[in-house]
Amino acid sequence: QVQVVESGGGLVPPGGSLRLSCAASGSFFSISAMGWYRQAPGKQRELVATITSGGSTNYADSVKGRFTISRDNAKNTVYVQMNSLKPEDTAVYYCRAEGVITLARTRENYWGKGTQVTVSS
């Protein structure tokens, strides 16, 4: 019904930059917000940043000033520009479409499969 697909992950050196993209597709009425989350080995998944359809954003303290989330509502696509990357940013990054109103009039969240970001020399 709803597919969420991330792209743009890869290997970058410390201090480098990377831009991730995520597109939601399928059959649904609307999406309230989209967000990025990450999970490092042995750790819980944590919020990176979210953005609502109206453009309101929030960021984890650990990425404020370095990451910027943006969206194109017409394309149901969200981006995160990641600058000044640190080894601690290494994780699988997951995209989530939140508050999706389905054709059955339910409200659901949908996760992507994730994309690996590795920050290393």
Side-chain angles (χ1 to χ4, degrees):
Q1 184 177 60
V2 181
Q3 297 81 48
V4 178
V5 180
E6 306 97 332
S7 62
L11 174 65
V12 293
S17 297
L18 208 58
R19 182 179 174 89
L20 305 182
S21 300
C22 170
S25 62
S27 299
F28 51 86
F29 285 118
S30 63
I31 300 174
S32 178
M34 297 184 75
W36 289 97
Y37 301 77
R38 67 187 183 187
Q39 187 167 207
K43 293 190 175 182
Q44 296 290 322
R45 190 171 299 183
E46 64 178 1
L47 178 146
V48 175
T50 62
I51 186 166
T52 69
S53 61
S56 179
T57 61
N58 72 290
Y59 296 89
D61 288 342
S62 60
V63 307
K64 286 181 179 177
R66 300 188 298 123
F67 291 11
T68 303
I69 190 169
S70 61
R71 85 280 184 260
D72 184 336
N73 288 342
K75 297 179 180 179
N76 294 129
T77 299
V78 65
Y79 310 90
V80 59
Q81 177 67 44
M82 306 187 296
N83 298 327
S84 301
L85 284 162
K86 306 173 181 179
E88 309 94 88
D89 296 317
T90 295
V92 177
Y93 283 69
Y94 296 90
C95 179
R96 187 171 76 161
E98 303 168 351
V100 180
I101 306 301
T102 70
L103 298 186
R105 306 301 180 110
T106 62
R107 193 173 191 274
E108 307 285 349
N109 298 326
Y110 293 92
W111 289 98
K113 294 181 179 179
T115 185
Q116 178 70 48
V117 172
T118 302
V119 184
S120 176
S121 298

